Amino acid sequence: MKLSLALTFITLLSANASSQVNIPGTTLQERIFELNPPVIDSPTMSFSEIRQSILKLNQFIGGYPPSFTNEKERELIYRKWLVLVSEAEAFYTVHNGSEESLYLLSELYRQGHNMDVEGSAEKAFNNLSACLHTFKKSVMCNFSASYFYLSIGPAYLDKAELSLSILKEHFSPNLNSEVESGYVFLHIYRQDIPKAKQQIDFFIQKFPNSSRVAMFENIKQNLGDTIEWKQH
């Protein structure tokens, strides 16, 4: 899963970010979407089908700010997202709160929060809490949790770190690029600049062919002493 963490970082450093009426990095005006998915009795898609569809949407709404070319594309993504929410909610009902069903809802509502769908943040939080309470070592839910908690504010960084540590342990002795990338932003958002720079160097050393290398090199060059957090 790839988040738009580079754009998030740029937003944090922008002196005018708090006064913008457009979605950062776009010409689209901010818009609040309604949470009104159609209700269906049973899912028409399998877990794998729903998950793959969610992953495809990550290129648009996997991180904040979302990535839309124009208003038509944003509306299309919103409609596709609503269909998946209907499927995931039905899947949850049929599968009685399984790890897979809680993961699907966590990811979808995390995406909904990035897209500014009303009520999505609370639903993402509730489904993640339920999943991690019952399935503490869930790889799927801990990935979703690390993304979500890193994006919503400094009060949740300890939760993000816990999920990252569980994931790091899961992949040990190997390293996972998503996990190590998460630690970069954890240190940045904690305003621990020395650790952030150290983690960037570590990431580049271990994943020299990653598409994030150029982004991290740029971030490292522009890191100051403090960072202003812009919560969304």
Side-chain angles (χ1 to χ4, degrees), residues 148-203:
F148 182 63
Y149 293 140
L150 281 172
S151 76
I152 59 175
Y156 295 92
L157 292 181
D158 286 348
K159 287 181 175 292
E161 183 175 21
L162 176 59
S163 286
L164 288 172
S165 67
I166 289 172
L167 292 168
K168 191 174 182 71
E169 180 182 1
H170 170 79
F171 290 106
S172 180
N174 298 317
L175 296 173
N176 178 275
S177 63
E178 287 292 309
V179 175
E180 299 307 322
S181 176
Y183 276 109
V184 171
F185 289 94
L186 177 70
H187 297 321
I188 287 174
Y189 296 151
R190 281 185 169 156
Q191 300 190 29
D192 192 334
I193 305 306
K195 279 190 177 181
K197 291 181 177 180
Q198 182 180 22
Q199 181 65 19
I200 288 173
D201 289 340
F202 178 77
F203 181 93

Short mmCIF file of all heavy atoms in Angstrom, two decimals, residues 148-203:
data_model
loop_
_atom_site.label_atom_id
_atom_site.label_comp_id
_atom_site.label_asym_id
_atom_site.label_seq_id
_atom_site.Cartn_x
_atom_site.Cartn_y
_atom_site.Cartn_z
N PHE A 148 -3.17 5.02 9.50
CA PHE A 148 -4.22 5.89 10.05
C PHE A 148 -3.70 6.74 11.20
O PHE A 148 -3.87 7.96 11.22
CB PHE A 148 -5.40 5.04 10.49
CG PHE A 148 -6.57 5.84 11.03
CD1 PHE A 148 -7.26 6.72 10.20
CD2 PHE A 148 -6.97 5.70 12.35
CE1 PHE A 148 -8.33 7.46 10.69
CE2 PHE A 148 -8.04 6.43 12.84
CZ PHE A 148 -8.72 7.31 12.01
N TYR A 149 -3.04 6.10 12.16
CA TYR A 149 -2.59 6.83 13.34
C TYR A 149 -1.51 7.85 13.02
O TYR A 149 -1.41 8.88 13.69
CB TYR A 149 -2.11 5.86 14.41
CG TYR A 149 -3.19 4.98 14.99
CD1 TYR A 149 -2.96 3.64 15.28
CD2 TYR A 149 -4.45 5.49 15.27
CE1 TYR A 149 -3.96 2.83 15.82
CE2 TYR A 149 -5.46 4.69 15.79
CZ TYR A 149 -5.20 3.36 16.07
OH TYR A 149 -6.18 2.57 16.60
N LEU A 150 -0.70 7.58 11.99
CA LEU A 150 0.30 8.56 11.60
C LEU A 150 -0.33 9.80 10.96
O LEU A 150 0.28 10.86 10.92
CB LEU A 150 1.30 7.95 10.60
CG LEU A 150 2.40 7.06 11.18
CD1 LEU A 150 3.18 6.38 10.06
CD2 LEU A 150 3.34 7.86 12.08
N SER A 151 -1.57 9.65 10.50
CA SER A 151 -2.18 10.74 9.74
C SER A 151 -3.11 11.64 10.55
O SER A 151 -3.46 12.72 10.09
CB SER A 151 -2.97 10.16 8.56
OG SER A 151 -4.20 9.59 8.99
N ILE A 152 -3.53 11.21 11.76
CA ILE A 152 -4.62 11.93 12.41
C ILE A 152 -4.20 12.87 13.53
O ILE A 152 -5.03 13.64 14.02
CB ILE A 152 -5.71 10.97 12.93
CG1 ILE A 152 -5.14 9.98 13.95
CG2 ILE A 152 -6.36 10.24 11.78
CD1 ILE A 152 -6.20 9.08 14.57
N GLY A 153 -2.96 12.83 13.97
CA GLY A 153 -2.57 13.80 14.98
C GLY A 153 -1.54 13.25 15.94
O GLY A 153 -1.39 12.04 16.09
N PRO A 154 -0.81 14.14 16.60
CA PRO A 154 0.30 13.72 17.48
C PRO A 154 -0.14 12.87 18.66
O PRO A 154 0.66 12.12 19.20
CB PRO A 154 0.90 15.06 17.94
CG PRO A 154 -0.14 16.08 17.69
CD PRO A 154 -0.92 15.61 16.50
N ALA A 155 -1.41 12.96 19.06
CA ALA A 155 -1.88 12.19 20.21
C ALA A 155 -1.89 10.69 19.92
O ALA A 155 -1.98 9.88 20.85
CB ALA A 155 -3.28 12.65 20.61
N TYR A 156 -1.81 10.31 18.63
CA TYR A 156 -1.92 8.90 18.27
C TYR A 156 -0.60 8.30 17.80
O TYR A 156 -0.57 7.18 17.29
CB TYR A 156 -2.99 8.73 17.19
CG TYR A 156 -4.36 9.08 17.68
CD1 TYR A 156 -4.86 10.37 17.54
CD2 TYR A 156 -5.15 8.15 18.35
CE1 TYR A 156 -6.11 10.73 18.03
CE2 TYR A 156 -6.39 8.49 18.83
CZ TYR A 156 -6.88 9.78 18.67
OH TYR A 156 -8.12 10.12 19.17
N LEU A 157 0.49 9.01 17.99
CA LEU A 157 1.78 8.51 17.52
C LEU A 157 2.25 7.28 18.29
O LEU A 157 2.91 6.41 17.74
CB LEU A 157 2.83 9.61 17.58
CG LEU A 157 2.62 10.77 16.59
CD1 LEU A 157 3.74 11.79 16.74
CD2 LEU A 157 2.54 10.27 15.16
N ASP A 158 1.90 7.20 19.57
CA ASP A 158 2.26 6.00 20.34
C ASP A 158 1.57 4.77 19.78
O ASP A 158 2.15 3.67 19.74
CB ASP A 158 1.92 6.18 21.82
CG ASP A 158 2.88 7.12 22.53
OD1 ASP A 158 3.93 7.46 21.95
OD2 ASP A 158 2.57 7.53 23.67
N LYS A 159 0.31 4.93 19.37
CA LYS A 159 -0.43 3.82 18.76
C LYS A 159 0.21 3.43 17.42
O LYS A 159 0.31 2.24 17.09
CB LYS A 159 -1.90 4.20 18.56
CG LYS A 159 -2.72 4.26 19.84
CD LYS A 159 -4.16 4.61 19.53
CE LYS A 159 -5.04 4.56 20.77
NZ LYS A 159 -5.21 3.19 21.29
N ALA A 160 0.63 4.44 16.67
CA ALA A 160 1.30 4.15 15.40
C ALA A 160 2.59 3.38 15.64
O ALA A 160 2.89 2.41 14.93
CB ALA A 160 1.59 5.46 14.65
N GLU A 161 3.34 3.80 16.65
CA GLU A 161 4.61 3.12 16.94
C GLU A 161 4.38 1.68 17.39
O GLU A 161 5.14 0.78 17.03
CB GLU A 161 5.38 3.88 18.02
CG GLU A 161 6.73 3.26 18.31
CD GLU A 161 7.56 4.06 19.29
OE1 GLU A 161 6.97 4.86 20.06
OE2 GLU A 161 8.80 3.89 19.30
N LEU A 162 3.32 1.45 18.17
CA LEU A 162 3.02 0.09 18.61
C LEU A 162 2.74 -0.81 17.41
O LEU A 162 3.26 -1.93 17.32
CB LEU A 162 1.82 0.10 19.55
CG LEU A 162 1.33 -1.28 20.02
CD1 LEU A 162 2.43 -2.03 20.75
CD2 LEU A 162 0.10 -1.15 20.90
N SER A 163 1.94 -0.32 16.46
CA SER A 163 1.65 -1.12 15.27
C SER A 163 2.91 -1.36 14.45
O SER A 163 3.14 -2.46 13.94
CB SER A 163 0.58 -0.43 14.42
OG SER A 163 -0.70 -0.55 15.02
N LEU A 164 3.74 -0.33 14.32
CA LEU A 164 4.99 -0.50 13.57
C LEU A 164 5.91 -1.52 14.23
O LEU A 164 6.56 -2.33 13.55
CB LEU A 164 5.71 0.84 13.44
CG LEU A 164 5.08 1.86 12.48
CD1 LEU A 164 5.79 3.20 12.60
CD2 LEU A 164 5.13 1.37 11.03
N SER A 165 5.94 -1.51 15.56
CA SER A 165 6.81 -2.46 16.27
C SER A 165 6.31 -3.89 16.10
O SER A 165 7.11 -4.83 15.97
CB SER A 165 6.90 -2.09 17.75
OG SER A 165 5.66 -2.28 18.41
N ILE A 166 4.99 -4.08 16.09
CA ILE A 166 4.41 -5.41 15.88
C ILE A 166 4.75 -5.90 14.47
O ILE A 166 5.11 -7.07 14.26
CB ILE A 166 2.90 -5.38 16.11
CG1 ILE A 166 2.60 -5.20 17.60
CG2 ILE A 166 2.23 -6.65 15.58
CD1 ILE A 166 1.14 -4.96 17.92
N LEU A 167 4.64 -5.00 13.50
CA LEU A 167 4.96 -5.36 12.12
C LEU A 167 6.45 -5.65 11.96
O LEU A 167 6.83 -6.60 11.25
CB LEU A 167 4.53 -4.23 11.18
CG LEU A 167 3.02 -4.03 11.07
CD1 LEU A 167 2.72 -2.72 10.35
CD2 LEU A 167 2.36 -5.19 10.35
N LYS A 168 7.28 -4.86 12.59
CA LYS A 168 8.73 -5.08 12.50
C LYS A 168 9.10 -6.45 13.06
O LYS A 168 9.91 -7.18 12.49
CB LYS A 168 9.48 -3.98 13.25
CG LYS A 168 10.98 -3.96 12.99
CD LYS A 168 11.63 -2.76 13.65
CE LYS A 168 13.12 -2.69 13.36
NZ LYS A 168 13.41 -2.34 11.95
N GLU A 169 8.48 -6.79 14.17
CA GLU A 169 8.71 -8.11 14.78
C GLU A 169 8.22 -9.23 13.87
O GLU A 169 8.87 -10.28 13.74
CB GLU A 169 8.01 -8.19 16.14
CG GLU A 169 8.21 -9.52 16.84
CD GLU A 169 7.45 -9.58 18.16
OE1 GLU A 169 6.77 -8.60 18.52
OE2 GLU A 169 7.53 -10.62 18.84
N HIS A 170 7.09 -8.99 13.23
CA HIS A 170 6.52 -10.01 12.35
C HIS A 170 7.46 -10.33 11.19
O HIS A 170 7.64 -11.50 10.83
CB HIS A 170 5.18 -9.52 11.79
CG HIS A 170 4.63 -10.39 10.69
ND1 HIS A 170 3.99 -11.59 10.93
CD2 HIS A 170 4.65 -10.23 9.33
CE1 HIS A 170 3.63 -12.13 9.78
NE2 HIS A 170 4.02 -11.34 8.79
N PHE A 171 8.08 -9.32 10.60
CA PHE A 171 8.93 -9.52 9.44
C PHE A 171 10.37 -9.88 9.79
O PHE A 171 11.13 -10.30 8.93
CB PHE A 171 8.93 -8.28 8.55
CG PHE A 171 7.63 -8.05 7.84
CD1 PHE A 171 6.76 -7.05 8.25
CD2 PHE A 171 7.24 -8.86 6.78
CE1 PHE A 171 5.55 -6.83 7.60
CE2 PHE A 171 6.03 -8.66 6.12
CZ PHE A 171 5.18 -7.64 6.53
N SER A 172 10.75 -9.70 11.05
CA SER A 172 12.12 -9.99 11.50
C SER A 172 12.50 -11.45 11.21
O SER A 172 11.66 -12.35 11.37
CB SER A 172 12.24 -9.71 12.99
OG SER A 172 13.53 -9.97 13.45
N PRO A 173 13.72 -11.71 10.79
CA PRO A 173 14.88 -10.81 10.70
C PRO A 173 14.93 -9.99 9.41
O PRO A 173 15.88 -9.23 9.20
CB PRO A 173 16.06 -11.77 10.78
CG PRO A 173 15.56 -13.00 10.08
CD PRO A 173 14.11 -13.10 10.48
N ASN A 174 13.94 -10.14 8.54
CA ASN A 174 13.91 -9.35 7.32
C ASN A 174 13.36 -7.96 7.61
O ASN A 174 12.73 -7.73 8.65
CB ASN A 174 13.07 -10.04 6.26
CG ASN A 174 13.63 -11.40 5.85
OD1 ASN A 174 14.84 -11.54 5.65
ND2 ASN A 174 12.77 -12.39 5.74
N LEU A 175 13.58 -7.05 6.69
CA LEU A 175 13.06 -5.69 6.82
C LEU A 175 11.97 -5.48 5.79
O LEU A 175 12.04 -5.99 4.67
CB LEU A 175 14.17 -4.66 6.61
CG LEU A 175 15.30 -4.66 7.63
CD1 LEU A 175 16.40 -3.70 7.18
CD2 LEU A 175 14.79 -4.27 9.00
N ASN A 176 10.97 -4.72 6.17
CA ASN A 176 9.86 -4.39 5.27
C ASN A 176 9.92 -2.89 4.96
O ASN A 176 9.99 -2.07 5.88
CB ASN A 176 8.53 -4.75 5.93
CG ASN A 176 7.34 -4.39 5.06
OD1 ASN A 176 6.87 -3.26 5.09
ND2 ASN A 176 6.85 -5.35 4.31
N SER A 177 9.89 -2.54 3.69
CA SER A 177 10.07 -1.14 3.30
C SER A 177 8.94 -0.25 3.81
O SER A 177 9.17 0.91 4.17
CB SER A 177 10.19 -1.01 1.79
OG SER A 177 9.01 -1.43 1.15
N GLU A 178 7.72 -0.77 3.85
CA GLU A 178 6.60 0.02 4.35
C GLU A 178 6.77 0.34 5.83
O GLU A 178 6.47 1.45 6.28
CB GLU A 178 5.28 -0.72 4.12
CG GLU A 178 4.83 -0.76 2.68
CD GLU A 178 4.42 0.61 2.18
OE1 GLU A 178 3.61 1.29 2.84
OE2 GLU A 178 4.94 1.03 1.12
N VAL A 179 7.23 -0.64 6.58
CA VAL A 179 7.43 -0.45 8.01
C VAL A 179 8.54 0.57 8.26
O VAL A 179 8.39 1.50 9.05
CB VAL A 179 7.77 -1.79 8.70
CG1 VAL A 179 8.11 -1.57 10.17
CG2 VAL A 179 6.60 -2.76 8.58
N GLU A 180 9.66 0.39 7.56
CA GLU A 180 10.79 1.30 7.77
C GLU A 180 10.44 2.71 7.29
O GLU A 180 10.90 3.70 7.88
CB GLU A 180 12.03 0.78 7.05
CG GLU A 180 12.50 -0.59 7.52
CD GLU A 180 12.72 -0.67 9.03
OE1 GLU A 180 13.20 0.32 9.61
OE2 GLU A 180 12.39 -1.72 9.62
N SER A 181 9.63 2.82 6.27
CA SER A 181 9.15 4.12 5.82
C SER A 181 8.27 4.76 6.89
O SER A 181 8.35 5.96 7.15
CB SER A 181 8.35 3.96 4.52
OG SER A 181 7.79 5.19 4.12
N GLY A 182 7.45 3.93 7.53
CA GLY A 182 6.60 4.44 8.60
C GLY A 182 7.39 5.05 9.74
O GLY A 182 7.00 6.07 10.32
N TYR A 183 8.52 4.44 10.05
CA TYR A 183 9.37 4.98 11.13
C TYR A 183 9.95 6.35 10.76
O TYR A 183 10.16 7.19 11.63
CB TYR A 183 10.51 4.00 11.44
CG TYR A 183 10.11 2.91 12.42
CD1 TYR A 183 9.96 1.59 12.00
CD2 TYR A 183 9.88 3.20 13.76
CE1 TYR A 183 9.59 0.58 12.88
CE2 TYR A 183 9.51 2.20 14.65
CZ TYR A 183 9.37 0.89 14.21
OH TYR A 183 9.00 -0.08 15.09
N VAL A 184 10.22 6.56 9.48
CA VAL A 184 10.69 7.89 9.06
C VAL A 184 9.68 8.95 9.47
O VAL A 184 10.03 9.96 10.10
CB VAL A 184 10.92 7.94 7.53
CG1 VAL A 184 11.19 9.38 7.09
CG2 VAL A 184 12.08 7.04 7.13
N PHE A 185 8.42 8.71 9.15
CA PHE A 185 7.40 9.71 9.43
C PHE A 185 7.04 9.78 10.91
O PHE A 185 6.66 10.83 11.42
CB PHE A 185 6.18 9.46 8.56
CG PHE A 185 6.45 9.80 7.12
CD1 PHE A 185 6.86 8.83 6.24
CD2 PHE A 185 6.38 11.11 6.68
CE1 PHE A 185 7.15 9.15 4.92
CE2 PHE A 185 6.67 11.45 5.38
CZ PHE A 185 7.06 10.46 4.49
N LEU A 186 7.18 8.66 11.60
CA LEU A 186 6.98 8.68 13.04
C LEU A 186 7.95 9.66 13.69
O LEU A 186 7.56 10.50 14.52
CB LEU A 186 7.17 7.28 13.62
CG LEU A 186 7.06 7.17 15.15
CD1 LEU A 186 5.62 7.37 15.60
CD2 LEU A 186 7.58 5.81 15.62
N HIS A 187 9.22 9.58 13.31
CA HIS A 187 10.23 10.47 13.89
C HIS A 187 10.01 11.92 13.43
O HIS A 187 10.20 12.86 14.23
CB HIS A 187 11.64 10.00 13.48
CG HIS A 187 11.99 8.65 13.99
ND1 HIS A 187 11.64 8.21 15.26
CD2 HIS A 187 12.66 7.61 13.41
CE1 HIS A 187 12.08 6.98 15.44
NE2 HIS A 187 12.70 6.60 14.33
N ILE A 188 9.60 12.10 12.19
CA ILE A 188 9.33 13.45 11.70
C ILE A 188 8.20 14.09 12.51
O ILE A 188 8.31 15.23 12.97
CB ILE A 188 8.98 13.44 10.21
CG1 ILE A 188 10.23 13.15 9.37
CG2 ILE A 188 8.35 14.77 9.78
CD1 ILE A 188 9.95 12.98 7.89
N TYR A 189 7.11 13.36 12.68
CA TYR A 189 5.95 13.93 13.37
C TYR A 189 6.20 14.13 14.85
O TYR A 189 5.54 14.94 15.50
CB TYR A 189 4.72 13.06 13.14
CG TYR A 189 4.28 13.00 11.69
CD1 TYR A 189 3.61 11.88 11.19
CD2 TYR A 189 4.54 14.05 10.82
CE1 TYR A 189 3.21 11.83 9.87
CE2 TYR A 189 4.15 14.00 9.49
CZ TYR A 189 3.49 12.89 9.02
OH TYR A 189 3.10 12.83 7.71
N ARG A 190 7.17 13.41 15.40
CA ARG A 190 7.57 13.64 16.79
C ARG A 190 8.60 14.77 16.90
O ARG A 190 9.08 15.07 17.98
CB ARG A 190 8.13 12.36 17.40
CG ARG A 190 7.03 11.38 17.83
CD ARG A 190 7.63 10.19 18.52
NE ARG A 190 6.58 9.39 19.15
CZ ARG A 190 6.68 8.10 19.43
NH1 ARG A 190 7.81 7.46 19.14
NH2 ARG A 190 5.69 7.45 20.00
N GLN A 191 8.94 15.31 15.76
CA GLN A 191 9.92 16.40 15.68
C GLN A 191 11.29 15.98 16.20
O GLN A 191 12.06 16.79 16.70
CB GLN A 191 9.42 17.64 16.43
CG GLN A 191 8.11 18.17 15.88
CD GLN A 191 7.73 19.51 16.45
OE1 GLN A 191 8.60 20.30 16.81
NE2 GLN A 191 6.44 19.79 16.54
N ASP A 192 11.57 14.70 16.05
CA ASP A 192 12.90 14.17 16.41
C ASP A 192 13.72 14.14 15.11
O ASP A 192 13.83 13.10 14.46
CB ASP A 192 12.77 12.78 17.02
CG ASP A 192 14.07 12.32 17.67
OD1 ASP A 192 15.14 12.79 17.24
OD2 ASP A 192 14.01 11.49 18.59
N ILE A 193 14.28 15.28 14.77
CA ILE A 193 14.95 15.43 13.49
C ILE A 193 16.18 14.53 13.36
O ILE A 193 16.38 13.90 12.31
CB ILE A 193 15.34 16.90 13.24
CG1 ILE A 193 14.09 17.79 13.37
CG2 ILE A 193 15.96 17.07 11.86
CD1 ILE A 193 12.93 17.39 12.51
N PRO A 194 17.03 14.41 14.40
CA PRO A 194 18.18 13.51 14.27
C PRO A 194 17.76 12.06 13.97
O PRO A 194 18.37 11.42 13.10
CB PRO A 194 18.87 13.63 15.64
CG PRO A 194 18.49 14.99 16.12
CD PRO A 194 17.08 15.19 15.66
N LYS A 195 16.74 11.56 14.67
CA LYS A 195 16.29 10.19 14.41
C LYS A 195 15.68 10.06 13.03
O LYS A 195 15.82 9.03 12.36
CB LYS A 195 15.29 9.75 15.48
CG LYS A 195 15.93 9.28 16.77
CD LYS A 195 14.90 8.63 17.67
CE LYS A 195 15.55 8.09 18.94
NZ LYS A 195 14.55 7.43 19.84
N ALA A 196 14.96 11.10 12.59
CA ALA A 196 14.36 11.08 11.26
C ALA A 196 15.43 10.97 10.19
O ALA A 196 15.34 10.16 9.25
CB ALA A 196 13.50 12.32 11.04
N LYS A 197 16.47 11.78 10.33
CA LYS A 197 17.57 11.75 9.35
C LYS A 197 18.29 10.40 9.40
O LYS A 197 18.66 9.85 8.35
CB LYS A 197 18.54 12.89 9.63
CG LYS A 197 17.96 14.27 9.32
CD LYS A 197 18.99 15.37 9.59
CE LYS A 197 18.43 16.74 9.22
NZ LYS A 197 19.40 17.83 9.48
N GLN A 198 18.48 9.89 10.60
CA GLN A 198 19.14 8.59 10.74
C GLN A 198 18.31 7.48 10.08
O GLN A 198 18.85 6.60 9.41
CB GLN A 198 19.35 8.28 12.23
CG GLN A 198 20.08 6.97 12.49
CD GLN A 198 20.26 6.73 13.99
OE1 GLN A 198 19.54 7.27 14.82
NE2 GLN A 198 21.24 5.91 14.32
N GLN A 199 16.99 7.55 10.27
CA GLN A 199 16.12 6.53 9.69
C GLN A 199 16.07 6.66 8.18
O GLN A 199 15.99 5.65 7.46
CB GLN A 199 14.71 6.65 10.28
CG GLN A 199 13.71 5.61 9.76
CD GLN A 199 14.07 4.18 10.16
OE1 GLN A 199 14.84 3.96 11.09
NE2 GLN A 199 13.50 3.21 9.45
N ILE A 200 16.12 7.87 7.68
CA ILE A 200 16.17 8.06 6.22
C ILE A 200 17.43 7.43 5.65
O ILE A 200 17.38 6.73 4.62
CB ILE A 200 16.09 9.57 5.87
CG1 ILE A 200 14.67 10.10 6.11
CG2 ILE A 200 16.50 9.80 4.41
CD1 ILE A 200 14.54 11.59 5.95
N ASP A 201 18.57 7.66 6.28
CA ASP A 201 19.82 7.07 5.82
C ASP A 201 19.74 5.54 5.86
O ASP A 201 20.21 4.85 4.94
CB ASP A 201 20.99 7.54 6.69
CG ASP A 201 21.34 9.01 6.46
OD1 ASP A 201 20.96 9.55 5.41
OD2 ASP A 201 21.97 9.60 7.35
N PHE A 202 19.13 5.01 6.93
CA PHE A 202 18.98 3.57 7.08
C PHE A 202 18.09 3.01 5.97
O PHE A 202 18.40 1.99 5.36
CB PHE A 202 18.38 3.26 8.45
CG PHE A 202 18.15 1.80 8.71
CD1 PHE A 202 19.20 0.95 9.03
CD2 PHE A 202 16.86 1.27 8.63
CE1 PHE A 202 18.98 -0.40 9.26
CE2 PHE A 202 16.63 -0.08 8.87
CZ PHE A 202 17.70 -0.91 9.18
N PHE A 203 16.99 3.72 5.70
CA PHE A 203 16.06 3.28 4.66
C PHE A 203 16.75 3.24 3.30
O PHE A 203 16.63 2.26 2.56
CB PHE A 203 14.85 4.21 4.61
CG PHE A 203 13.82 3.80 3.59
CD1 PHE A 203 12.75 3.00 3.94
CD2 PHE A 203 13.93 4.21 2.26
CE1 PHE A 203 11.81 2.60 2.99
CE2 PHE A 203 13.00 3.82 1.31
CZ PHE A 203 11.93 3.02 1.68
#
